Amino acid sequence: MRLPNQKLARNVTLINLLVSAAALSLACAAFVGYDQISFRRGMVNELSVRAQIIASNSVSALLFNDAASARSTLSALRASPDVIWAGICTVQGKSFALYERMRTDRIPELPAIPPGHMESHVFSSGDIVLARAIAFRGRLLGIVYVESDLSVLAQRRKEYAGIALAVLLASMVAALLVSWLFAKSVADPIVGLAALARDVTQNKDYSVRAVPTGRNDEVALLIGAFNEMLEQIEQRDRALREAHHELERRVDERTAQLTHANKELESFSYSVSHDLRAPLRSIDGFSQALLEDYDAQIDASGKDYLRRIRASAQRMGMLIDDLLNLARVSRATIQKEKVDATALAESIVVDLRRAQPGRDVDFRIEKGMEAWADPGLLRIVLDNLLNNAWKFTSKRDHGSIEFGFRRENGGPACYFVRDNGAGFDPKYADRLFGAFQRLHAMTDFAGTGIGLATVQRIVSRHGGSVWAESAVGQGAVFYFTL
Amino acid sequence: MPEPVILLVEDNPDDEALTLRALKKNNIRNEVVVARDGREALDYLFGEGMYESRDVRVKPQVILLDLKLPKLDGFEVLRAMRGNEHTRLLPVVILTSSNEERDRINGYGLGANSYIRKPVEFGEFIEAVKQLGLYWLILNQNAPAAA
Ligand SMILES: Nc1ncnc2c1ncn2[C@@H]1O[C@H](COP(=O)(O)OP(=O)(O)OP(=O)(O)O)[C@@H](O)[C@H]1O
Ligand SMILES: [Mg+2]
């Protein structure tokens, strides 16, 4: 947990240290450099003044060739501890007088004075040698050389380096202190915020809040904004959850209602199935008994009435069965799977041909049609549509029936059954799908009118729709999607 | 040896009359015992109540069982029969109005031997009874009485 904190603080500390060290080093280097240069210049000046004094004091000694006097002039240099060697030579270049702080008999490298100048100097590793012309009334008498060692300069450099180092160390400590303060005031809250943000993304717990710093800076602003954001997310979350619960509750409620309605429908169907048909059996059975047992007593029209009674009872029996089947289709649980629609249609056609072998009907069924549907229910759909096509082409000399499908630009697969039969008035195209709705007379085409109602229920329970196109005498097309 | 008995369990008098008529039409002359509710059917089979003095060793050749019955319904009769040592192997034909799937599943599940739906058209009903009589009264060999 403390790792990111240390990382941020460490980075800040490192940057602080580096920046201050670099700045200080640069400043020290510049200062030392400048000091060295100005100190050297000062040394040259000082040496030059000494050389001038010696030069003017040794004019008479040179004029009068008094080497002893010149030597005593030089020996005054003993007061300056940095001067280690001095010498005067004549215009001819002969050594005239010498001074050595310590006897070494060493002659340093002597600079030449360029023409037109009175003076010149040369630095070597440990010392500086200055040469000064000795002149009297415009006439050159000789040259004085003064050598000074540079140990003072080195000493000074050492001292400066020490000071710079001390300052550097002090500033490092200061930088560390500043970093620590920074970590306390800026890094800690930010790191805390980062940890919180990570917790929130991991645990999806939007109820937590960052602790305010109590100050009035950008970090406080950040924490405020973060908390505000959490607050909003939490609110939205809560609203969403509530909406979700509400929705779930409603779905449960509806499901319960639906289950209840389904149960009622089921028990209704059940009692219809058991109780409604019994009286019909009595009507039919006893009418038949009358016809058989009282044949002689009943005249022709009486028998006709009895037959009508029987026909109606039987028809009602069929209607009840149809209605029950329709209700069953509505209740059936749907189990979708991949169904070979082509094979299904072909097997239905085989049944149709077997039932009425004499008919001249040409079936065209598209190959390789597959559907995602409940196989039992899809069979009922195709059975009804193909049966209708078969039935309503029965008055044609040559019937033609087609079952195919098409898919229009990415939409759902649309299946169709087309025939060249009696057709119907398109004005009533919607009514066909109601229970017991028929557009043809019973005497023309038999049927109860439950087929298409069943088809529509099955198709809509699959999430699809069914519709029809036709004109009287022009055949009909029934389309459906699943 | 007397003609084997048919036990008809049926509460609706019209259906009873029509069933008897259909049997007669098919020249099935066996004695038909009619029980008008489930309790009565079990009394007959187990020799209880009004049938206390009956010799229960005389067993019906076949039982025609309606499902919707007062007091005990057809399923309960079937369950009680199948749970009893003496009646568990008797042939039972469910003869009812409904063709509800769950009735058929329940019926066969409880050990019915056959399930026939009474058609509305009387001619079809006669035909169904004919098949039933042919099979259960003539062709079928019942399980030995004391196994
Ligand atoms: N292929 C078709 N050509 C012309 N009319 C049709 C066609 N299919 C259906 N219809 C019309 O729609 C009506 C309803 O059809 P539906 O299949 O529901 O009933 P039915 O075929 O008359 O009876 P059932 O299918 O219940 O035996 C039909 O009576 C007929 O008027
Ligand atoms: Mg139809």
Side-chain angles (χ1 to χ4, degrees):
Chain A
M1 278 306 279
R2 301 296 299 165
L3 206 78
N5 181 359
Q6 285 168 355
K7 213 186 266 170
L8 181 62
R10 186 162 6 100
N11 286 347
V12 168
T13 309
L14 215 67
I15 289 168
N16 257 349
L17 289 181
L18 280 174
V19 166
S20 50
L24 269 168
S25 307
L26 263 169
C28 285
F31 190 64
V32 169
Y34 172 75
D35 183 75
Q36 290 280 313
I37 288 165
S38 64
F39 188 70
R40 276 178 185 219
R41 201 174 293 142
M43 267 183 93
V44 170
N45 280 342
E46 201 177 309
L47 224 52
S48 167
V49 168
R50 284 199 199 125
Q52 277 175 47
I53 292 167
I54 291 167
S56 58
N57 286 349
S58 26
V59 167
S60 59
L62 276 168
L63 278 178
F64 300 107
N65 202 18
D66 181 0
S69 151
R71 261 197 302 281
S72 85
T73 305
L74 283 180
S75 64
L77 286 170
R78 205 161 285 280
S80 318
D82 57 306
V83 176
I84 51 173
W85 182 90
I88 297 168
C89 66
T90 61
V91 200
Q92 290 78 22
K94 271 206 312 229
S95 168
F96 183 66
L98 276 177
Y99 163 78
E100 274 184 309
R101 175 163 292 278
M102 269 161 330
R103 271 195 81 92
T104 54
D105 290 336
R106 174 191 62 96
I107 306 236
E109 184 196 331
L110 302 176
I113 298 170
H117 287 259
M118 290 295 285
E119 203 178 285
S120 96
H121 62 267
V122 62
F123 278 99
S124 63
S125 60
D127 51 24
I128 172 176
V129 182
L130 187 126
R132 172 95 203 173
I134 305 170
F136 182 68
R137 297 205 178 138
R139 192 162 64 93
L140 186 65
L141 298 177
I143 298 171
V144 57
Y145 297 96
V146 185
E147 184 191 19
S148 165
D149 79 3
L150 292 177
S151 59
V152 184
L153 202 65
Q155 179 65 31
R156 216 179 152 85
R157 212 182 290 142
K158 241 184 241 160
E159 275 167 17
Y160 267 107
I163 290 169
L165 204 71
V167 169
L168 208 63
L169 279 175
S171 71
M172 293 287 143
V173 171
L176 277 172
L177 202 76
V178 168
S179 300
W180 179 74
L181 281 175
F182 169 83
K184 266 212 98 52
S185 69
V186 180
D188 276 356
I190 288 178
V191 166
L193 208 59
L196 195 73
R198 199 190 42 204
D199 276 6
V200 167
T201 43
Q202 264 172 13
N203 307 335
K204 305 273 175 278
D205 175 10
Y206 300 111
S207 64
V208 292
R209 293 289 178 273
V211 186
T213 55
R215 277 171 319 185
N216 191 15
D217 55 5
E218 285 86 348
V219 175
L221 204 73
L222 203 62
I223 288 173
F226 187 72
N227 282 345
E228 173 71 23
M229 192 180 74
L230 282 177
E231 176 76 32
Q232 279 186 16
I233 291 176
E234 199 189 3
Q235 263 175 24
R236 235 164 268 179
D237 215 42
R238 200 182 302 130
L240 217 67
R241 237 193 335 263
E242 271 163 18
H244 184 73
H245 281 321
E246 172 64 16
L247 220 66
E248 253 177 9
R249 199 185 55 74
R250 256 190 251 171
V251 167
D252 284 350
E253 203 178 85
R254 294 278 150 81
T255 311
Q257 280 172 1
L258 219 71
T259 319
H260 184 69
N262 244 340
K263 274 232 177 66
E264 278 196 341
L265 182 64
E266 205 175 311
S267 62
F268 176 74
S269 292
Y270 189 77
S271 72
V272 165
S273 181
H274 274 280
D275 302 331
L276 240 55
R277 283 161 43 92
L280 294 175
R281 271 202 312 277
S282 299
I283 294 170
D284 187 77
F286 291 115
S287 303
Q288 173 71 6
L290 267 180
L291 281 171
E292 283 172 6
D293 298 358
Y294 300 89
D295 184 54
Q297 283 99 315
I298 305 172
D299 66 6
S301 76
K303 283 173 187 159
D304 179 45
Y305 294 159
L306 282 172
R307 268 189 279 275
R308 281 174 195 264
I309 290 172
R310 286 197 67 198
S312 287
Q314 285 162 23
R315 184 161 173 74
M316 184 151 175
M318 255 150 63
L319 291 176
I320 289 173
D321 282 354
D322 284 343
L323 266 185
L324 288 175
N325 282 332
L326 191 63
R328 204 163 287 145
V329 161
S330 310
R331 289 202 316 264
T333 45
I334 291 185
Q335 253 156 17
K336 289 194 185 188
E337 56 185 68
K338 209 197 233 169
V339 187
D340 185 345
T342 301
L344 201 58
E346 276 164 356
S347 83
I348 292 167
V349 169
V350 168
D351 290 346
L352 287 173
R353 287 201 194 280
R354 194 180 295 144
Q356 276 177 283
R359 286 190 51 188
D360 172 21
V361 177
D362 179 28
F363 273 99
R364 263 181 302 148
I365 296 169
E366 199 167 310
K367 294 277 163 232
M369 278 188 293
E370 277 180 343
W372 185 250
D374 184 295
L377 295 178
L378 183 62
R379 191 184 181 91
I380 295 175
V381 168
L382 292 180
D383 206 45
N384 272 299
L385 294 179
L386 291 170
N387 254 296
N388 282 350
W390 177 262
K391 175 161 62 182
F392 291 100
T393 50
S394 61
K395 299 212 165 116
R396 289 270 184 268
D397 292 336
H398 174 77
S400 158
I401 297 171
E402 187 187 351
F403 173 40
F405 94 124
R406 56 178 197 208
R407 191 187 288 275
E408 259 152 29
N409 40 42
C414 176
Y415 302 85
F416 62 87
V417 175
R418 184 188 319 236
D419 65 61
N420 67 340
F424 58 84
D425 187 343
K427 252 195 296 187
Y428 307 113
D430 293 342
R431 280 207 209 155
L432 299 181
F433 301 100
F436 305 127
Q437 293 277 1
R438 309 192 71 237
L439 297 184
H440 292 89
M442 271 295 268
T443 44
D444 289 341
F445 298 98
T448 51
I450 203 76
L452 289 180
T454 310
V455 167
Q456 189 182 45
R457 288 214 188 169
I458 293 175
V459 165
S460 79
R461 289 208 55 203
H462 276 77
S465 52
V466 56
W467 65 101
E469 286 169 6
S470 181
V472 177
Q474 306 282 299
V477 197
F478 283 81
Y479 301 94
F480 69 93
T481 57
L482 289 173
Chain B
M1 184 168 169
E3 280 282 321
V5 166
I6 298 172
L7 175 60
L8 173 65
V9 191
E10 173 64 76
D11 64 317
N12 183 336
D14 281 4
D15 271 345
E16 177 193 330
L18 290 171
T19 307
L20 293 178
R21 186 180 169 87
L23 288 169
K24 203 172 83 198
K25 285 272 167 203
N26 283 302
N27 290 317
I28 296 169
R29 308 222 173 276
N30 305 55
E31 185 195 340
V32 178
V33 176
V34 181
R36 290 184 175 79
D37 61 52
R39 187 66 262 162
E40 215 177 296
L42 290 183
D43 282 351
Y44 176 82
L45 290 169
F46 299 152
E48 292 165 353
M50 61 186 277
Y51 290 106
E52 212 165 25
S53 53
R54 197 180 83 83
D55 176 6
V56 291
R57 280 170 306 177
V58 178
K59 287 174 184 161
Q61 176 81 357
V62 65
I63 297 162
L64 306 180
L65 183 64
D66 192 10
L67 287 181
K68 269 198 115 182
L69 293 167
K71 300 181 189 169
L72 293 178
D73 71 15
F75 295 122
E76 287 166 304
V77 171
L78 193 55
R79 191 178 296 116
M81 275 180 63
R82 292 302 183 230
N84 185 288
E85 187 58 33
H86 299 289
T87 54
R88 73 189 171 93
L89 295 173
L90 288 180
V92 172
V93 176
I94 290 176
L95 196 63
T96 183
S97 294
S98 93
N99 66 345
E100 292 284 311
E101 195 178 351
R102 67 166 150 143
D103 283 348
R104 267 176 296 160
I105 290 173
N106 266 341
Y108 282 120
L110 286 170
N113 301 79
S114 190
Y115 186 107
I116 291 173
R117 189 195 185 203
K118 289 182 262 190
V120 168
E121 212 268 306
F122 193 61
E124 286 175 35
F125 187 48
I126 290 176
E127 188 55 34
V129 169
K130 182 175 154 192
Q131 301 293 331
L132 189 153
L134 184 70
Y135 184 78
W136 291 108
L137 299 175
I138 300 170
L139 295 178
N140 185 52
Q141 298 282 308
N142 279 357

